[in-house]
Amino acid sequence: MNYFRKKPLETSEKPSNLKRELKTMDLILLGLGAIVGTGIFVITGTAAAVTAGPALILSFVIAAFSCILSALCYAEFASRIPVSGGAYSYAYTVFGELLGWLVGWLMICEYLLANASVASGWSGYMNGFLDGIGLGLPIALRSSYNAEAGTYIDLIAILITFVVTYIVIQGAKKALRLNNIMVIVKFALIALFIVVGVFYVKPENWTPFAPFGLKGVASGAAVVFFAFLGFDAVSTAAEETKNPRRDVPRGIIGSLGIATVLYIAVTLVLTGIVPYAQLNVKDPVAFAIRFIGQDFIAGIISVGAIVTLLTVLISMTYGLGRLIYAIGRDGLLPKKLSQVDIKTKGPKFATQIVGVVSAVLAGIVPLNKLAELTNIVTLMIFVIIALGIIKLRKDFGEPTEGEFKVPFVPIFPIVSIVVCLYLMIQLSLSVWIAFVIWLVLGILVYLSYGYKNSELNK
């Protein structure tokens, strides 16, 4: 039995059933839609208050450094293997079927949990808004199952997941057009916060700069790493991009670079306005503006955050639909998942399945610690991709002219691996146990279904 049979290296932009209509700016905005969301509007406050203090900017720099190294690896893979499926397709080509499947399995976990987490967070914002206008839902319908709290189902999380799924099914260009508009609005809100807040910054709030020491900075990096997730969704769009060899690397690196600058700027202003110990709130950006007495602007930011968090759902649902399509096409999941809608030229059935599963997770299953599984899963994917660049160079040589090239191989990939493993060590034992359980489940699915149904087995 050959568990490491490999797909051939797809060095050319082969004909695709999907419609090629995306350009560089679409991909940058797709990446920003996925990256800039809960990280900037939610995580910054809690991470500053309980983990790193004002030194959170260093945590962001460490996390960004790790992601940039990984992004360079993704960019070379996207340039040399311009096919749908992202990291799954890259690992399948370089390491063989079993490891390729496991990367795909980890990506499914990453995207589903990210979707469910954002839908649950969005529901929390919306329930607060409905309470404010006297239209609050009954307690039983406000959150996932928790008998002690009297909650059974998160109705709003389910409904918004289905709405986003419907939008994504309409086709890449239509879905991303809405995403692009929301990303621009999101940028306007962040700019408003920075422009208004910078005049209220008190440098004394930055002291002590690192109240939790270097360990706090490192732990903060492991926490805010979540804030950078999503740039890999760009690589899943290769078969819908007009010039994937050029545009996908630009989309990956461009979106991550812009997001890094935004996170550092917002964190500096946030911790400069409010003493870090007071930032352990769900809406730190709006809280900071209220803290300086600008209630009207805080209201604008709160409403805008509710609306623009949907870009993360759109980007992740889009990316996961394309991933499931690619895995189904290879036979490792049922072939029906690779069906392409005649009208929209998109993977309609795969996207519908993504929507249903995401809705169940967001609406019924209590996520709690499971959300942290997203970090360890993604870090492991980054480790495999960095190893993959070293093996890609060994097996297939240097990139040709016009293809993106990671500098200083194998040094940069090795540094990426070390940083990712270091961040993984910072995570709790319960997260590691959940990670191992998910991996074992993936192996069982492959052995019982994927191996014998694989296209490479025929």
Side-chain angles (χ1 to χ4, degrees):
M1 298 178 77
N2 183 10
Y3 296 119
F4 298 98
R5 53 199 177 194
K6 298 176 183 178
K7 292 172 70 174
L9 182 68
E10 301 284 0
T11 56
S12 60
E13 295 158 26
K14 65 177 185 178
S16 172
N17 292 327
L18 305 178
K19 189 176 180 181
R20 292 192 184 275
E21 54 184 349
L22 305 180
K23 298 179 181 178
T24 299
M25 189 51 66
D26 293 311
L27 297 178
I28 288 176
L29 292 173
L30 169 65
L32 287 171
I35 298 169
V36 183
T38 50
I40 209 161
F41 288 114
V42 180
I43 292 175
T44 44
T46 304
V50 303
T51 311
L56 184 65
I57 59 167
L58 298 182
S59 300
F60 271 117
V61 169
I62 294 169
F65 177 68
S66 167
C67 287
I68 287 168
L69 289 175
S70 298
L72 292 174
C73 297
Y74 269 90
E76 180 169 326
F77 267 121
S79 181
R80 299 184 70 177
I81 310 176
V83 296
S84 190
Y88 154 75
S89 295
Y90 310 152
Y92 203 156
T93 302
V94 173
F95 292 114
E97 188 169 271
L98 177 58
L99 202 55
W101 158 255
L102 287 177
V103 168
W105 184 247
L106 293 175
M107 289 174 71
I108 290 171
C109 178
E110 172 197 347
Y111 283 52
L112 281 176
L113 288 178
N115 257 1
S117 298
V118 173
S120 297
W122 195 86
S123 171
Y125 272 107
M126 184 54 70
N127 275 312
F129 175 74
L130 292 175
D131 287 343
I133 59 174
L135 296 174
L137 293 174
I139 294 295
L141 303 178
R142 295 166 71 102
S143 189
S144 56
Y145 181 77
N146 185 340
E148 291 181 4
T151 60
Y152 294 91
I153 188 169
D154 193 334
L155 182 61
I156 290 177
I158 291 174
L159 291 177
I160 196 58
T161 302
F162 284 141
V163 168
V164 167
T165 303
Y166 174 77
I167 291 169
V168 173
I169 284 172
Q170 301 312 302
K173 198 67 178 177
K174 287 184 179 178
L176 297 188
R177 190 177 297 128
L178 177 61
N179 177 76
N180 296 351
I181 293 169
M182 288 187 176
V183 168
I184 292 168
V185 172
K186 191 186 299 186
F187 268 63
L189 293 172
I190 294 168
L192 178 64
F193 168 73
I194 293 171
V195 169
V196 172
V198 74
F199 293 103
Y200 294 87
V201 167
K202 296 179 180 178
E204 57 265 30
N205 285 333
W206 291 329
T207 55
F209 182 66
F212 303 99
L214 289 176
K215 181 170 176 55
V217 173
S219 298
V223 172
V224 301
F225 178 81
F226 177 82
F228 289 97
L229 303 188
F231 70 84
D232 52 323
V234 176
S235 64
T236 65
E239 287 185 30
E240 289 168 284
T241 303
K242 289 185 175 181
N243 187 349
R245 197 176 296 281
R246 179 196 69 194
D247 294 342
V248 174
R250 288 181 179 179
I252 292 171
I253 294 170
S255 58
L256 187 59
I258 294 169
T260 300
V261 173
L262 283 178
Y263 281 144
I264 291 173
V266 167
T267 303
L268 273 172
V269 174
L270 191 65
T271 53
I273 294 174
V274 185
Y276 73 88
Q278 298 181 40
L279 282 171
N280 192 13
V281 293
K282 285 187 174 182
D283 56 344
V285 173
F287 174 80
I289 294 296
R290 287 196 299 272
F291 187 82
I292 57 177
Q294 300 288 343
D295 290 348
F296 177 72
I297 294 175
I300 293 173
I301 290 174
S302 293
V303 174
I306 292 173
V307 175
T308 57
L309 277 177
L310 291 181
T311 62
V312 182
L313 271 177
I314 292 172
S315 299
M316 290 297 188
T317 301
Y318 171 88
L320 183 52
R322 273 64 189 168
L323 169 65
I324 298 290
Y325 158 82
I327 298 175
R329 184 174 61 184
D330 293 333
L332 301 182
L333 287 175
K335 272 286 187 182
K336 186 173 173 61
L337 293 167
S338 65
Q339 289 180 355
V340 174
D341 186 70
I342 297 173
K343 182 181 177 183
T344 64
K345 295 294 183 183
K348 182 176 181 179
F349 184 67
T351 307
Q352 288 172 334
I353 294 296
V354 167
V356 170
V357 177
S358 296
V360 170
L361 281 174
I364 300 171
V365 180
L367 294 175
N368 301 338
K369 270 288 189 191
L370 275 182
E372 292 182 25
L373 184 57
T374 309
N375 281 9
I376 195 168
V377 159
T378 309
L379 284 163
M380 179 53 73
I381 294 170
F382 287 176
V383 167
I384 294 169
I385 289 298
L387 284 169
I389 283 294
I390 298 171
K391 196 165 191 312
L392 181 70
R393 294 283 185 91
K394 180 176 178 291
D395 292 351
F396 301 102
E398 297 284 314
T400 59
E401 187 178 349
E403 293 178 339
F404 185 87
K405 182 178 181 179
V406 178
F408 306 114
V409 173
I411 296 172
F412 270 19
I414 289 172
V415 173
S416 177
I417 292 166
V418 171
V419 173
C420 288
L421 290 175
Y422 177 73
L423 291 176
M424 288 172 73
I425 292 169
Q426 307 302 314
L427 297 168
S428 65
L429 178 62
S430 60
V431 174
W432 276 92
I433 292 171
F435 171 67
V436 171
I437 291 172
W438 184 256
L439 270 183
V440 171
L441 281 174
I443 292 170
L444 292 175
V445 171
Y446 174 73
L447 294 177
S448 61
Y449 181 89
Y451 182 82
K452 62 185 177 185
N453 290 285
S454 167
E455 283 294 304
L456 295 185
N457 199 38
K458 297 177 182 177

